[in-house]
Structures are given as C-alpha cells and as structure tokens.
C-alpha cells in the first residue's frame, strides 16, 4: 500500500515533490503600501458575507519583494535562492468581522506558482503576475541614500497588461509600530470548487492571525494609486481611489501557519 | 449582501476575475507519448490506494502543445490567444480501479498558472514548468514534410533544471484508434490541505471520463525517455525506463467537465 | 596565443558558447500578415535615407510562430527544441531602393535573446517581446477544421503593455504565389553604436535577398490592425492603420545568410 | 528626408523606441564575488590577444542584483521600475594589458534584453540568463541580521540548465576599499560579425575605466564556486576552480560611458 506524502499535490513516496512546502512559512516583505478611500457601495460587493467594510471605506494597494523560508527547509534561501523569493502585489479592503478589525485581500498577484497554489489552499485570492518595485541602491550615482524625497513605485502586470501602480514619495522616518497593522489579522475566503457533483464546493471564511509579526525600517510619505480598469479579465472598479489617506514603506516579517480559525461556511 | 462570483478565487461581483474559467473546457493536444516499462515495486509507491498498477508496469511520458477554449468564452482563442494556450509535460502510470483501466498522471508540468490551479481543484498533480516540443514546419528548408524518419523531442524544465526528455522518431502513419486510449479514463487524486485544524484535509480519488475524445494525425515510432533524477525537489526514481514499449505522435481533443465520479475518500 | 571562436560574443576556444550560431539559418514562419495603408507623411519618417515609401503607403503587421535551424546544427530542432523556436511580431513598410521593391521592418519583436542580437548584427530592429498567435487545433471540440470563417489574432506585448494586435478571418484558400512577396527582398538598416570616441558608429543600409523562399498553406481573409500608442518606450504613430488592404495566413520558409549587399553608409 | 534617432535599433523619429538608452548609464550592484585560482593553461585560451593572465591565474565568479538608471531618464527607477532592474552573473579572469591590471569578463549572463544588446555594442560577452541571489530580509523570522555566519548563494541558469553557483559565508565586515578593484578597469573584446561579404567583421579590444566607482557595505567571507560543465552550449572548462582565494559581498556603483579606449583591432 502506498504512503503518499506531501503538503499537497504532487504527492510522492518521499514527499519532496510537493509544489508547496509544509507550513509554517517564515515570510518577509520589503513593501510599499498606500491606504486610500474607495466608494463604499462599490467596495462592499467584494467582501464575503460576514465581513463589514471599514467605516472610512479604506482600501490598500501594496507591492513588495518577498522572501519565504519554509520551516522544514531552514537553509532554503541559501541552497536554492529562487525557491525562497517572490514578488507580490495586493488590492484589499480593511474590514471587521463581528467588530474585530483585520484586512481582506481581494486580489493578490504573485510571481511564483507555489505561492498561487498555497494561496488557494489558504483562501488567498491569488493569480500569477509580473510585479516590480523600485530598488534604490545607494551606491548608484543616480541615487542618494534613501531618505525624504525618495520616490518608489510598485507595478503589477498580467497577460501583457498593467493592472495597477502604487507610488510613494518618502517624507519621514517613523516608529515601527506607527504603520497600521489592523491587528495583524487577515481574513481569507477559501473557495475550492469541486470536480464532481458528488462533492460540494467549499466556501469558508477564515481568520488568520500572523505570528511573530515584526515591522522595521518604516517610512511615511505621500502616495498614489492608479488602477487600470481596461483589463478585461479583472474586475477592479471597486478599487478606484477617491482619496489617498496614507502611504508607507517598510520591512515586515511574520510566520504563516495552517492555524486559521474557521468563521463561517457558506453553502449554495 | 455580497454575491461573489467565479469558479474559484479571486471571486468578484462580476465573476470575470476568477483565475480559472468555469468548465467545461474544450482541450486539445499536439502530443508525443512514449509508453514504457518501469520497475513495478518502485512504481506502485506512486499510486494512491485503490489503484492497481498495469500488470506490465506501464508508464507514460508525454509532452504536448495544448489549447483550451472555455465553453463560457467560445471566442477565447481568437480574442486573447495567450489565454487559450499552454504546454504540458506528464509522467504517469497505467492502472486499474476495481479492474477498470485508466491512467494516473503522477507529475504534470504546465506552463500556465490557471492550469496549475485548475489541476489542484480537479486532483491533477500540477506544477509550473518550461516545456518545449519540436515544431516541424514543412516550409523550412531544414525539414522535409513530416513523415517516416522525422524526429521530435519534448523537454520539461523547472527551476533551471531539466526534468525529463521524451523522444520519438516516426516510423508509420497509423489509424486514429490505434493509439491506446485506456478507456479515455483518467484517475485523479485530489489532496487539498486545510488552513485550519478545524477543517479536515481532503484526499479523494476520482475517475474522470474524457468527453468527446477524438484522436487524429496519429503516427507510430521508436521512442526514448530520459529522466533526470538529480533534481532535488522532484521524486522521480520510480519513473526510470526499463524498456520502451511504444511511441506515438498524435493530435487529440476532448472536453473536460467537473463531472468526475468520487471513488473513495481517505482520512488520516 | 588564443584563438577565440564564435560567430559573435561570447567567443571561446571551441566556439560553441556563441550566443548566435553561424549562419546560414534555415527559417520558417506560421504567419498572419495584414497589409494596410498608413499616412505617407508620417510613415516616411521611419525609413532610412535611400528607401522610398511604396506609392500606396503600404505597411504590414505580422505575427508568426517561427522555427530556426542553424545549418551548422542540422539536428537542432530535435536535440534541443527550445533553441530552434521563437515567436515574432513585426510592423514594417513596403518600399523601394532605386526602384527595386522590398520591405523594411521598422519594429521587430522576438521572444529569444539570440534572435534579438542576430538582428542587431544584421540590421533588423529587434527587441524582445511576448508574442502569441491563435493556434487552431482541429481535434479540439471548440474548433472546426481551419477554413473560411476561422479567426486568428496575433498579439505583441512588451514590459507589461500590449503593443499591437493583428487579426484575420479567413475567406478563401489561395495559391502559394498569391501572397505578395515584394521580391523576397528585405532592406535592413544596421546601426551599431560605438563604445569609444575613437571608433565611428556604423549606419549601413543593406539589401538581403531571402534564399530558397517557399510559401505554402496560403489563405486570404479580412483583417484588422490595432496599434496601442500609449506605450511610452515605443514610437508607433506612423503605423496607425488608415485602411486595411489585404490579410493573409501562410507558412513560409527561407534561408538567411550573411550575404547582404551594402547599399550605402551614413556618416554623421 | 528622415532623421532617425536612437542610440541603436530600433531607430525612430523621436528616438524613444531604441532598445538601449543613450549612455551614460548609472549602474549599481548588490554583489557576491568569489576570487579563485584556475588552471592557467586552460584559462589563457579565453583571453583575447593582448591580454595577459594574472600571474596567480585568478578568476572570478560574480552574481548581483543590478540597477541601471540612464542619465537621459533620471526618473527611470521611479517611473517604470522594471526598466531599471536586472540580474547579472559573470565568470571572468583577472589580467593585464601591457602591464596595466584589469579584468576580462568572458561570460556574462543578464536577465534583460537591453543589457544583452548594450553588451554586444560595448564588447561585453552577454547572453540572457535566469539569475538569483539569496535575499536576506532581516525582519524574516528565519533570518537574523546580516552578519558573520550569513550565507548567500548566486545561481545562473540558461535554457533550463544550471550554469554556475557562487557561494559566500560572511566572516567579517571590511573597509570599502578592501575589496580588490584591479583599477576599476574593464577590458572588453567587441566582436561584431558582418551581414555582408562587403563589410569586415569587427574585432576590437577596448579598455573601459569605470567612472565614479564607489564600494560600500563590504564583507569578507569564505566562498565556493561550482561550474556545471555538462551544459552543451557553453564552454566553461577553463573556469573550474582549483582553489578559492577570497570571497566578498558588497554594494558597488559606477557610471558606464561610451568612453572606452581602443587598444587593438584584429583582422582575420
């Protein structure tokens, strides 16, 4: 009798062929995040039942260079650097569940397949994208050191189309905890369609509390968001910015475990 | 209350943002397939419980240029050709379930994210790969027309490493139904890990009968398979060829529906 | 003393490290080509001195799946299929040099680095792009056989932006020689900038006559061209279509040699 | 009469379509560099005539995350971050020309087409590759801060094959000028093959002195180099390590101008 191993497919005798490594995953981000106001009537339509939009109708646009080290492969960043790196772009909404604040990422674009699939397992709405973020190397004669006035842009493309830009111009260094965290609580909505009429689809709302979250190198700035609504396989109207509220640049780290709390299950 | 639509994530008000289009998907392949004998003791370890290895311990290596047209977007190949194209490489085993023949694809590499994720929904063990297959264009002065003696190779790479090669040299045109179909039955093993201790993992064995399967332009040939077992995030020892049995080149089309039959569920 | 070998850099003792293989290259294309009228005043600005625009101000948009087999590696398509395949998209102008007809490809987008660099050596104005063309696989339940009414599109993207689309809907099969060839003469303009004030730039107009050109599987149709002029690192205004003249689908093969004729050299 | 503008092809009326921006280019690198001894008899065969191998037969393996800002587009890193970023991997030899020390990069792999082509213009032996380097994000729970013991690897792949790895484990922070610079002099060998028997090939040896070179964030460590000689379109035997000499991690910036000095021209 076979004993097939792995966190997910492909299962194999040793387990080492799985697309996604066993969690926990130690994650970190070198990020730009712009918080902005959207039309609440349009934005609500993107929230799963149970989540209430932030009273100020706050959305966020985020682009980051990411590192993931699987707990089961502590030397991963060293032995095969490609496996530990990805880029990520997010459009999401701040919200509450029964009064408890958090965030819901309605669209997540990542560069790597394993991250897309891990997202679908966890309830993160991921697709693959081509993501870039300004890289300021202070030794470059064209740059000064990173400081007030430095400008950075994050860009997300998919299928040869620009999806969104997120911009920041730094104004001041701030304390690490001055970057709003909304409880480091992430709401995810898992929708796993079924291959068979005999098996129901799964639609589950989860809360995932990020473990060991740390923020460093935080800056505040002026920001901008540009959403390209002519992209025909996206549905981004509810994310058009009405007003920019805040813009941040920071480094953040945390650990993602398969330890989410099930909040509700929807049946159709 | 939100009505979120889509076959899977990302769900959205219109449904058009989903990574995977609603099935049915009309699929076709321009394929090389080599059938070969493997070590039965090693190969059995790749089959989920319930599937019995073919008595001759037959495996297959396959590389194809693929087209998918979603039934909901009949003009997809015309409006955005990129969305309808992918490349695929497979290593699998012929097998039976309670005596009924079919095939089980233990490793499937595809070029596109939507196909990877659709695979995980359906029970296909997919990862992203870089796949190429010899393209013979008869107008090229270096080629004659496709015919006896024509040689083609399929290659699969991932993370900068070659995973396998599959080769054919054509010997004779054959009848369409002379390509073994094993009932056009595909066994899939869905393993959906859970984000939460409150929700069990899903491990389900399905049978999927391909609808409207058609084979054309079939050729027989001599074949070869080369498996690169130095790839550290794969687990391919059981697929080493002992003896080449048959090699084919063909075009095949079918329709994939979410109409699989649940054969068993495994609980750990 | 070293003897460094190779058609171009990287040179090496064996010569086998060169990015570009020694010509001749045996080339073939599975192509869509739409011929259309542009504003002659705008279009002339894209022609190097010595070339006169076609009196009807005819431009062409072209997308093709390409195969290249280097004469020095006759088994290339078989041993490493990736090395022999690329995709290509072109915007060009029909023109004459001293009355002799030909064509000038002002913008050429190809998928592979070796083709970009070979282009710069030869005078082809190449950049890398992401190019797709509708692939009609007749075994697919969504397609009929290729015939009148079949629709195909070619798309060219670069840096996450769509650059152009070229469309055809087939109307009738035509004779191979009914696809206009303009003498199978290609005019190229080589501009090699110099790394040093001691060495002049090279600006040379060449005529290259394609060898052994063969056209097969030719169809005529109705066509369309869409140019996206919001792409900021392109300069495509002169290629906006005023009127579609003809549209073709065909397979074509030829041999490209380093046998061009120097027509003029420009010095600044 | 047309006035076609651009540093190189594609030329256009505005000049903004050129693949390569006008130099100067302000360049910077976040690099790993390992210096090692090779077999002098084998290594000499990679040097163009006029260059003498370093008496200790020193080679270098280098992988870096690079930023380029074109002087003509000072906001490039901000307006389109993708255009200003690339990755680079190099295998080269330390050498002298008439006693003047410098370095000769025999193989350069970069991620972007414009860098490949600029390389061919300048005499850098570039191909496209897939390059990764360990990214240590200190906020990640899996990492401590960068310091003694931190390990990093650079990897270079091309056409689905690993070409080389370069490793460092940091031992101590060092002064910026303690990273050997060899005069910040780069020797390049330009080989531009001709499309025509009427035009000679160009084979020119240049010296390029990097302008405004600055090194910061320098670390010394223990190192390793692994060369994969089974890659059939490379020629890397002369770069096999005999002994590791030194390993560094650093940030470096400079300005690259088209201001090289022509040292010799070779005619065949």
């Amino acid at each position: 009798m076979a004993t097939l191993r792995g966190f997910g497919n492909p299962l194999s005798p040793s387990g080492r062929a799985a697309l996604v490594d066993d969690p926990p995953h130690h994650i970190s981000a070198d990020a730009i995040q712009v918080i902005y106001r959207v039309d609440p009537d349009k934005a609500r339509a993107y929230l799963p039942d149970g989540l209430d939009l932030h009273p100020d109708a706050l959305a966020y646009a985020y682009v980051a260079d990411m590192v993931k080290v699987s707990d089961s492969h502590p030397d991963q960043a060293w032995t095969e650097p490609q496996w530990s790196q990805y880029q990520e772009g997010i459009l999401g909404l701040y919200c509450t569940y029964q009064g408890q604040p958090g965030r819901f990422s309605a669209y997540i674009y990542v560069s790597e397949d394993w991250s897309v699939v891990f997202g679908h397992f966890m309830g993160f709405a991921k697709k693959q994208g081509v993501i870039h973020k300004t890289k300021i190397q202070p030794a470059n004669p064209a740059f000064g050191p990173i400081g007030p006035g430095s400008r950075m842009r994050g860009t997300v493309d998919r299928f040869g189309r620009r999806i969104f830009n997120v911009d920041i111009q730094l104004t001041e260094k701030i304390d690490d905890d001055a970057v709003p965290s909304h409880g480091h609580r992430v709401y995810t909505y898992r929708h796993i369609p079924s291959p068979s009429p005999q098996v129901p689809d799964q639609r589950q709302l989860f809360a995932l509390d990020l473990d060991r979250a740390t923020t460093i190198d935080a800056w505040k700035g002026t920001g901008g968001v540009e959403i390209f609504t002519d992209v025909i396989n996206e549905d981004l109207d509810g994310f058009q910015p009405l007003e920019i509220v805040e813009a941040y640049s920071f480094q953040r780290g945390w650990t993602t475990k398969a330890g989410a709390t099930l909040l509700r299950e929807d049946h159709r």
Side-chain angles (χ1 to χ4, degrees), chain A:
Chain A
M1 195 195 88
T3 306
L4 289 170
R5 294 192 172 85
F7 180 64
N9 266 321
L11 303 174
S12 73
S14 72
R16 70 173 181 267
L19 175 56
V20 182
D21 293 335
D22 284 327
H25 296 172
H26 305 297
I27 309 279
S28 51
D30 177 352
I32 299 169
Q33 180 163 323
V34 173
I35 300 171
Y36 64 101
R37 220 180 302 279
V38 290
D39 180 327
D41 293 330
K42 287 186 176 172
R44 260 181 218 110
Y46 292 81
L47 289 175
D49 288 348
L51 296 184
D52 296 309
L53 187 64
H54 188 285
D56 295 337
L58 295 184
Y60 52 94
Y62 164 104
V63 164
D65 289 318
M66 308 291 297
V67 172
K68 177 268 304 180
V69 181
S70 302
D71 196 65
S72 56
H73 298 78
D75 285 344
Q76 191 169 54
W78 145 255
T79 53
E80 278 295 332
Q82 181 173 8
W83 304 357
S84 69
Q85 301 177 2
Y86 60 113
Q87 291 83 42
E88 189 167 42
I90 306 180
L91 294 174
L93 297 167
Y94 290 108
C95 56
T96 55
Y97 175 79
Q98 296 182 353
Q100 196 166 352
R103 59 182 195 262
F104 177 76
S105 294
Y107 293 95
I108 309 177
Y109 303 89
V110 292
S111 56
E112 300 300 317
D113 63 343
W114 62 263
S115 178
V116 171
V117 168
F118 183 55
H120 283 260
F121 293 160
M122 298 292 288
F124 292 109
K126 291 189 180 178
K127 296 179 178 181
Q128 209 165 36
V130 176
I131 297 113
H132 287 87
K133 189 174 90 67
T134 298
K135 201 180 287 177
I136 297 182
Q137 293 186 336
N140 192 305
F143 295 122
I146 295 177
S150 293
R151 287 182 299 179
M152 293 182 281
R153 171 171 286 173
T155 63
V156 177
D157 303 325
R158 180 171 160 80
F159 280 150
R161 304 296 179 109
R162 176 63 42 90
I163 293 181
F164 73 88
N165 292 333
V166 54
D167 300 338
I168 189 168
Q169 182 164 22
L170 304 184
T171 53
E172 53 177 325
K173 189 90 174 61
I174 58 173
D175 288 344
D176 295 343
D177 57 7
V179 179
S181 71
H182 295 254
H184 287 304
R185 166 160 281 216
V186 175
Y187 293 110
T188 77
Y189 193 63
R190 186 160 104 129
H191 177 35
I192 307 283
S194 165
S196 164
Q198 300 162 280
V199 173
D201 291 353
Q202 292 182 291
R203 287 191 169 216
Q204 298 155 328
L205 183 67
F206 291 100
L208 183 67
D209 295 307
L210 299 185
D211 197 31
R212 304 173 67 184
T214 306
T215 304
I216 60 174
D217 292 342
W219 288 81
K220 198 165 183 173
T222 55
V225 174
E226 191 176 10
I227 308 283
F228 292 74
T229 51
D230 62 338
V231 184
I232 62 181
N233 64 323
E234 305 292 341
D235 187 358
L236 302 174
D237 281 352
F239 287 87
Q240 284 290 14
L242 298 185
E243 184 193 4
I244 302 299
V245 177
E246 288 175 323
Y248 299 98
S249 166
F250 54 88
Q251 317 270 330
R252 182 171 284 166
W254 64 89
T255 295
T256 297
K257 298 179 179 173
T261 303
L262 179 66
L263 301 179
R264 59 181 284 165
E265 256 187 288
D266 296 331
H267 302 280
R268 289 190 298 182

